[in-house]
Amino acid sequence: MPKVWQVQEAKARFSEMLESSQDEGPQIVTKRGVETAILVRIDEWRRLRKLARRDVKALLLAPGARTEALASRRTSHPRREPPPL
């Protein structure tokens, strides 16, 4: 269970909060009672970022992939007559 720190306490005891994030896991910071930020280990942050980032191949192969927005619509132009020979 993450520990919750008020912003004033987090500022005053940042080193302790940093150590707690390393030893105990994520640390939540609140501002006026509202959860505002979270301090996590760098390896956890990188793992979460990697999970959140999907490559184009995975996106296109996903069930229900919506590819219609990937190509621009073609407009119809009147045909030109070929130049005389």
Side-chain angles (χ1 to χ4, degrees), residues 54-71:
R54 296 177 69 183
D55 61 352
V56 173
K57 181 180 177 182
L59 184 64
L60 293 174
L61 294 175
R66 300 186 67 186
T67 58
E68 63 270 4
L70 296 177

Side-chain angles (χ1 to χ4, degrees), residues 11 14 38 43 57 63 67 85:
K11 286 170 34 177
F14 183 76
I38 189 162
D43 57 341
K57 181 180 177 182
T67 58
L85 297 175

Side-chain angles (χ1 to χ4, degrees), residues 2-77:
K3 182 175 178 183
V4 178
W5 302 72
Q6 292 180 359
V7 72
Q8 301 89 341
E9 182 184 14
K11 286 170 34 177
R13 298 170 52 197
F14 183 76
S15 293
E16 184 181 339
M17 188 175 80
L18 184 59
E19 288 296 320
S20 294
S21 75
Q22 300 296 306
D23 300 336
E24 302 168 21
Q27 305 293 301
I28 297 172
V29 180
T30 63
K31 187 173 185 178
R32 297 185 194 108
V34 177
E35 292 181 347
T36 307
I38 189 162
L39 181 65
V40 295
R41 294 172 53 106
I42 190 69
D43 57 341
E44 179 69 7
W45 171 253
R46 288 182 178 136
R47 185 184 72 78
L48 292 171
R49 289 282 310 257
K50 188 175 181 182
L51 287 174
R53 203 176 313 144
R54 296 177 69 183
D55 61 352
V56 173
K57 181 180 177 182
L59 184 64
L60 293 174
L61 294 175
R66 300 186 67 186
T67 58
E68 63 270 4
L70 296 177
S72 61
R73 294 182 185 214
R74 296 184 69 175
T75 58
S76 61
H77 294 291

